[in-house]
Amino acid sequence: GMVGRARIMSGPNDRTGPVLALVGQETDLSFYASEADRRGSPVLVLGVGTGRVVWDLAVRGHVAVGVDPSEVMLATAEERRREEAPAVSQRVRLTCADPRSFRTKERFPLILAPHNALALMATLDDLDAMLSTVRLHLAPSGAFLFDVLNPVPQRFPVPDERQDAWHPLEGIEPPRPIFAP
């Protein structure tokens, strides 16, 4: 919960004590930034989406490499380049690639999979491939941070006990998220 997270986020560098944001979205940014301050750059962000995390890290002085399979998402992330100072812009590198197969010779002291990126993997093989990407790119004693959301439990109607009863979900597999609560 938020209390545990605040405790994790309050490190020796915090002059103001635990960082608590009322907006949950901003809490992850300060958490990732404090980890980047502690571990150094460059930071690899797998599943960069619209670039919220990479740009925040760059504004705070970190080099951030963002990977995402969606050209649409990356185009949105790229748009921010026009608004930022050149010093900030040059710290952000965006690559259109699948996090399961992305490869570079670079090693990273910090790798992030924000925004439920891990749980978007459809199968355990996909998850395994993404974790292989992490393993191959993590510097010795580096850290991999991710966030996953607990899915809302699906409530399926109970099938009628009669043998001949037709069930509305007959033949349809219920979705099975990799991560269960």
Side-chain angles (χ1 to χ4, degrees), residues 1-2 5-6 9 19-34 52 60:
M2 193 56 84
R5 195 130 182 228
M9 287 170 16
V19 179
L20 268 182
L22 293 175
V23 184
Q25 286 261 303
E26 302 310 309
T27 311
D28 65 337
L29 293 180
S30 45
F31 176 67
Y32 294 142
S34 67
R52 197 174 134 265
R60 298 176 193 239

Side-chain angles (χ1 to χ4, degrees), residues 1-178:
M2 193 56 84
V3 177
R5 195 130 182 228
R7 196 176 64 247
I8 292 166
M9 287 170 16
S10 62
N13 300 342
D14 286 336
R15 283 181 286 283
T16 56
V19 179
L20 268 182
L22 293 175
V23 184
Q25 286 261 303
E26 302 310 309
T27 311
D28 65 337
L29 293 180
S30 45
F31 176 67
Y32 294 142
S34 67
E35 287 296 313
D37 290 343
R38 211 152 60 92
R39 297 172 188 282
S41 293
V43 178
L44 176 62
V45 181
L46 297 172
V48 75
T50 57
R52 197 174 134 265
V53 173
V54 281
W55 284 108
D56 182 72
L57 289 168
V59 164
R60 298 176 193 239
H62 296 285
V63 173
V65 178
V67 173
D68 202 280
S70 166
E71 290 180 24
V72 176
M73 291 285 200
L74 285 176
T76 304
E78 254 322 316
E79 280 172 19
R80 182 152 166 196
R81 207 175 285 281
R82 295 197 302 262
E83 305 161 22
E84 292 296 344
V88 172
S89 272
Q90 69 189 17
R91 290 194 283 267
V92 171
R93 299 203 310 274
L94 297 171
T95 304
C96 190
D98 189 322
R100 295 168 297 182
S101 55
F102 171 75
R103 297 293 181 264
T104 178
K105 293 211 180 333
E106 208 168 353
R107 295 296 169 264
F108 301 85
L110 183 60
I111 299 180
L112 308 177
H115 314 307
N116 211 31
L118 270 188
L120 295 177
M121 297 293 106
T123 68
L124 288 174
D125 285 343
D126 293 330
L127 181 60
D128 203 47
M130 187 163 167
L131 292 174
S132 291
T133 297
V134 172
R135 186 177 51 80
L136 290 167
H137 294 90
L138 207 51
S141 75
F144 171 44
L145 305 180
F146 57 90
D147 84 61
V148 287
L149 304 174
N150 284 339
V152 176
Q154 297 277 349
R155 302 266 179 252
F156 291 103
V158 179
D160 194 305
E161 289 307 311
R162 287 176 294 126
Q163 284 304 120
D164 61 346
W166 175 81
H167 184 262
L169 294 174
E170 195 173 286
I172 297 171
E173 278 287 300
R176 287 191 184 87
I178 291 176

